[in-house]
Amino acid sequence: MKINFNNLTIICQFLLIAGIGSSCQPEQSNLPSPNIVWIVSEDNSKHYMRLFDENGIETPHIEKLASQGVRFDRAFSNGAVCSVARSAIISGCYGPRTLTNYHRNIQAAPMPDSLRMFPHYLREAGYYTANNAKEDYNFIKGDSVWDESSNKASWRNRQSGQPFFYVHNIGTTHESRLHFTAEEMQNNATQTKLEDYQVQPNHPDDSVFRYTNAYYRDKIQQMDEQVGEVIAQLKQDDLLDSTIIFYYGDHGGVLPGSKGYIYETGLHVPMVAYIPPAYKHLSAWAPGSATETFVSFIDLAPTVLRLAGLPTLSPMDGKPFLGQGLTKNKLEQRNTTYGYADRFDEKYDQVRSIRVGPYKYIRNYQPYNFDGLLNNYRYKQLAYQDWQDKHHRHQLNEVQSAFFESRPPEMLFDVEADPYETNNLADDPSFAPTLVALRKKLNTWVTHMPDLSFYPEYFLLDQAIDNPVAFGQTHQSDIKKYAQIADLSLQSFDDAKAKLITALSSSDPWERYWALMTCSSFGQQAMVLTEEVTQVMHKDSLLINQVKAAEFLGLSKALDPAKQLVDCLYQSQDPTEALLILNSIMLLRSAPHHYTFEIDLKQLQSKVRKDKMVSWRLTGLNISI
């Protein structure tokens, strides 16, 4: 039996009776439910498009869409890499509470209890859901998400009159497109003139970066043509009057220091939404307008549900920003977004951010790491290699060198005055009230979520993967305690010393874990605790605590940690634990530490040796498996 989808009244009445949704009808009862299309470009921050930034290139098709729609000048990914960003989009949930904040996922997490990926609810309401073609979720997907998900997926495969939700992914601007060689750079001229765009102040202004800037902008214009093709297909099918169209980038750009980092170039994305005149009541903004309302990726799922006339689901962290009943006045009071960065492929870190209005606060929980620590995939890009080479040759200024140096535990930027986050205001007394307010707000978010990453990933995969959200709720008070130990690094060492000594001898191994990393954050200031840390290195029941103790002793130059770290690596039975150990080895092998490590592959446990990401890290250490 075929269903006539021109009017979903009967279906929606059934959903209401079943308690699944609210009315699927827009304000005018004679209107069908709107079609919704997402056009998503990979690896684009707003900084490189003229529509959003004066140093950006023209994108005529996206600009035309904006002239008839709404331009969101404050749209943000919550994570700075594909799988993490897309997991927040598909669920409406923050990654650190759902264990979807690591890229690439070692084991997919289940969706939170009582929640499905949001296209499931659209399908239940009668929508045809199609994705062309990238998914890249860190969640277990389930079978009820898409009617079709492939490179052949199209709205044209739906039943006659059936409303649809369609996602079109464009990979033209993906990071891999910038993996050209020096020879290719010499032989292939760019369409964009090399002198037309300024090189960012944190990058060296040389031929490699000028070419990379121009080449990337060429790709952005090619992407814009593809956006235009999708819109032309909708027009050809006579669908523009009934289709809400979004364009956005799936996280930040790929020039060095953007994708994989929660600076603005990694999180601040372009976004435009076109709402047809018949559905203007679903937008608080007039066509052709722009707004500084803060929109985060966790908000996309509840927004689509609301546009379809379905309720926002309480397990979601996000809030709708389009849909019936939302007012411009209330929406434009939204001025906050959160970001997170943990493992990107084989490279570990733990960074959190909050932006409120023009101010961005970044909390580096492992500040002794440095941004430029080797990630194999990043360094396939010639510009990364050039940047690192110039650092080794001492050819960078202070701003450009910061990428290869340890970071302060907390940073504060006025990103409207300083869009590339080069001037840290954290130590400026005149900004102390702002610093304290944002620190407090971030801490509240981290501990209330709660943030699972205060446990190492390998432990979470063993203990929390079956139900990460429940695990977090059960251990919320512990996580708050670990965050407080980490925040001792924000005090003077004299004020923190006694609490660190207590934590180093705690019966809770994760209190010891965070005390050790906080000692590393203090560096040589904490050398008076060498005896206590040495005891942990030799006697702790957890292998990772022995590693973190040796890491501190190496960073503070108290001893050469190489033998201890390699011995711990050989003992590790868990590839994810071994990967974490290898990150300590990579850090201590790098400048300015320069320790030497001799690793015998035959002594690695078989399961460790065969692991994909372990092999990537070993490749970075110039060890081939």
Side-chain angles (χ1 to χ4, degrees):
M1 174 183 174
K2 288 190 175 181
I3 299 174
N4 184 344
F5 289 97
N6 288 324
N7 192 316
L8 291 178
T9 303
I10 296 175
I11 293 173
C12 296
Q13 286 176 348
F14 169 78
L15 293 175
L16 279 169
I17 293 168
I20 295 172
S22 61
S23 172
C24 297
Q25 296 301 312
E27 190 175 70
Q28 290 88 347
S29 60
N30 61 330
L31 279 176
S33 295
N35 309 309
I36 303 166
V37 169
W38 285 358
I39 308 173
V40 184
S41 65
E42 295 199 57
D43 302 4
N44 288 136
S45 57
K46 65 95 181 175
H47 303 74
Y48 312 111
M49 297 169 60
R50 180 66 56 86
L51 180 62
F52 296 90
D53 193 288
E54 64 181 11
N55 197 37
I57 199 162
E58 296 83 358
T59 50
H61 297 285
I62 298 170
E63 289 169 13
K64 183 178 179 181
L65 194 69
S67 72
Q68 301 169 349
V70 183
R71 189 184 78 217
F72 291 91
D73 288 340
R74 299 292 181 266
F76 303 90
S77 176
N78 300 105
V81 71
C82 295
S83 70
V84 177
R86 289 168 182 264
S87 296
I89 290 170
I90 203 69
S91 66
C93 298
Y94 288 121
R97 81 173 180 91
T98 58
L99 195 47
T100 57
N101 51 317
Y102 297 99
H103 176 82
R104 309 227 57 88
N105 68 294
I106 291 169
Q107 185 174 346
M111 289 288 291
D113 287 347
S114 77
L115 188 65
R116 305 284 187 93
M117 293 183 177
F118 78 87
H120 164 90
Y121 302 103
L122 295 173
R123 287 187 75 191
E124 282 193 329
Y127 272 76
Y128 184 81
T129 62
N131 178 59
N132 188 336
K134 188 169 184 175
E135 294 183 351
D136 207 9
Y137 314 129
N138 291 335
F139 285 111
I140 299 168
K141 186 176 72 167
D143 299 325
S144 62
V145 181
W146 303 108
D147 286 292
E148 188 179 9
S149 183
S150 73
N151 58 11
K152 295 182 180 180
S154 170
W155 63 79
R156 292 172 174 169
N157 298 329
R158 74 197 191 282
Q159 294 184 36
S160 176
Q162 183 179 6
F164 62 87
F165 172 63
Y166 173 71
V167 182
H168 188 89
N169 291 274
I170 299 174
T172 302
T173 48
H174 186 264
E175 178 178 13
S176 58
R177 305 305 191 269
L178 269 64
H179 290 171
F180 50 77
T181 65
E183 183 179 4
E184 289 169 332
M185 187 180 83
Q186 290 289 87
N187 295 333
N188 298 306
T190 59
Q191 299 257 335
T192 301
K193 293 180 181 179
L194 271 61
E195 64 274 12
D196 280 359
Y197 297 94
Q198 296 178 356
V199 173
Q200 297 171 198
N202 57 326
H203 291 159
D205 189 354
D206 62 16
S207 60
V208 173
F209 272 86
R210 285 197 168 274
Y211 182 90
T212 303
N213 269 269
Y215 189 88
Y216 183 39
R217 285 169 173 82
D218 281 356
K219 292 298 177 185
I220 290 173
Q221 288 205 313
Q222 292 173 27
M223 173 273 291
D224 179 68
E225 289 288 335
Q226 293 168 302
V227 171
E229 290 170 5
V230 178
I231 296 170
Q233 290 171 13
L234 290 165
K235 184 177 181 180
Q236 180 183 337
D237 290 357
D238 197 25
L239 290 168
L240 288 183
D241 291 340
S242 57
T243 303
I244 296 170
I245 305 171
F246 289 75
Y247 160 75
Y248 65 89
D250 74 338
H251 52 71
V254 295
L255 295 184
S258 51
K259 180 178 180 179
Y261 301 92
I262 57 174
Y263 301 113
E264 290 295 284
T265 51
L267 295 179
H268 197 161
V269 299
M271 182 178 288
V272 169
Y274 164 75
I275 297 89
Y279 296 88
K280 63 182 181 181
H281 59 283
L282 297 179
S283 172
W285 298 279
S289 61
T291 178
E292 294 191 352
T293 297
F294 275 48
V295 171
S296 298
F297 275 4
I298 55 163
D299 300 323
L300 282 169
T303 296
V304 169
L305 293 178
R306 190 173 186 114
L307 289 171
L310 298 171
T312 300
L313 301 166
S314 58
M316 291 183 176
D317 295 313
K319 297 179 180 179
F321 56 90
L322 291 170
Q324 190 170 320
L326 299 176
T327 65
K328 182 178 177 181
N329 182 53
K330 286 189 176 180
L331 287 168
E332 294 195 339
Q333 293 176 29
R334 298 183 186 178
N335 68 345
T336 303
T337 186
Y338 295 96
Y340 39 87
D342 293 277
R343 178 177 53 74
F344 294 88
D345 297 327
E346 76 277 20
K347 175 181 175 284
Y348 274 101
D349 207 346
Q350 186 174 344
V351 188
R352 300 290 178 264
S353 69
I354 178 174
R355 178 172 168 181
V356 178
Y359 294 108
K360 173 88 165 282
Y361 173 83
I362 296 177
R363 178 69 170 93
N364 295 303
Y365 284 100
Q366 299 170 22
Y368 44 86
N369 281 332
F370 60 94
D371 288 329
L373 190 69
L374 182 67
N375 173 289
N376 292 349
Y377 197 75
R378 296 286 99 80
Y379 277 84
K380 288 183 178 181
Q381 190 178 140
L382 201 61
Y384 268 103
Q385 298 170 29
D386 174 67
W387 198 7
Q388 184 182 60
D389 181 64
K390 280 187 164 51
H391 173 69
H392 289 161
R393 295 174 181 269
H394 306 290
Q395 295 175 349
L396 301 176
N397 61 34
E398 184 178 354
V399 168
Q400 296 160 357
S401 294
F403 190 69
F404 301 97
E405 297 169 355
S406 60
R407 310 156 304 193
E410 52 185 359
M411 301 189 291
L412 178 69
F413 302 101
D414 179 346
V415 294
E416 292 185 358
D418 177 25
Y420 298 105
E421 292 153 289
T422 63
N423 181 27
N424 183 12
L425 304 171
D427 293 330
D428 187 330
S430 63
F431 288 94
T434 302
L435 179 76
V436 170
L438 294 188
R439 178 199 296 158
K440 182 178 180 180
K441 194 165 185 176
L442 183 81
N443 278 343
T444 298
W445 176 66
V446 162
T447 55
H448 284 200
M449 202 171 4
D451 191 324
L452 297 178
S453 298
F454 284 90
Y455 296 97
E457 184 184 17
Y458 78 88
F459 177 80
L460 293 170
L461 291 174
D462 182 61
Q463 297 291 320
I465 192 63
D466 290 340
N467 193 332
V469 174
F471 179 90
Q473 292 301 315
T474 300
H475 294 84
Q476 187 169 16
S477 61
D478 292 327
I479 290 170
K480 183 176 182 179
K481 182 171 54 178
Y482 307 146
Q484 290 171 341
I485 294 171
D487 281 350
L488 292 175
S489 65
L490 307 182
Q491 304 177 12
S492 71
F493 179 73
D494 286 343
D495 290 339
K497 179 181 173 182
K499 292 179 181 178
L500 283 173
I501 291 172
T502 299
L504 285 169
S505 60
S506 171
S507 59
D508 182 340
W510 306 117
E511 287 193 37
R512 303 195 298 273
Y513 178 77
W514 275 101
L516 291 163
M517 290 199 288
T518 303
C519 286
S520 291
S521 299
F522 279 116
Q524 292 196 344
Q525 291 182 72
M527 282 189 69
V528 294
L529 301 180
T530 295
E531 183 177 345
E532 288 87 348
V533 173
T534 302
Q535 286 288 314
V536 175
M537 184 177 74
H538 290 308
K539 296 183 177 181
D540 202 278
S541 58
L542 277 190
L543 198 62
I544 199 61
N545 282 350
Q546 297 175 34
V547 168
K548 289 300 177 181
E551 183 177 62
F552 162 71
L553 295 170
L555 290 170
S556 62
K557 307 297 183 185
L559 58 75
D560 185 333
K563 184 179 185 306
Q564 179 72 26
L565 288 173
V566 172
D567 286 347
C568 288
L569 179 64
Y570 292 156
Q571 292 176 56
S572 179
Q573 306 279 339
D574 185 327
T576 313
E577 178 189 57
L579 183 63
L580 192 55
I581 296 169
L582 282 165
N583 269 261
S584 294
I585 290 174
M586 177 62 77
L587 172 65
L588 290 164
R589 176 183 175 272
S590 303
H593 312 296
H594 297 296
Y595 291 105
T596 300
F597 295 86
E598 299 291 337
I599 298 174
D600 180 0
L601 293 178
K602 295 178 182 178
Q603 295 194 56
L604 294 178
Q605 302 295 324
S606 175
K607 189 176 180 181
V608 168
R609 191 167 59 246
K610 294 175 182 178
D611 183 77
K612 177 175 65 176
M613 275 183 282
V614 166
S615 71
W616 292 348
R617 201 31 124 194
L618 291 171
T619 298
L621 290 163
N622 299 317
I623 300 169
S624 299
I625 292 185

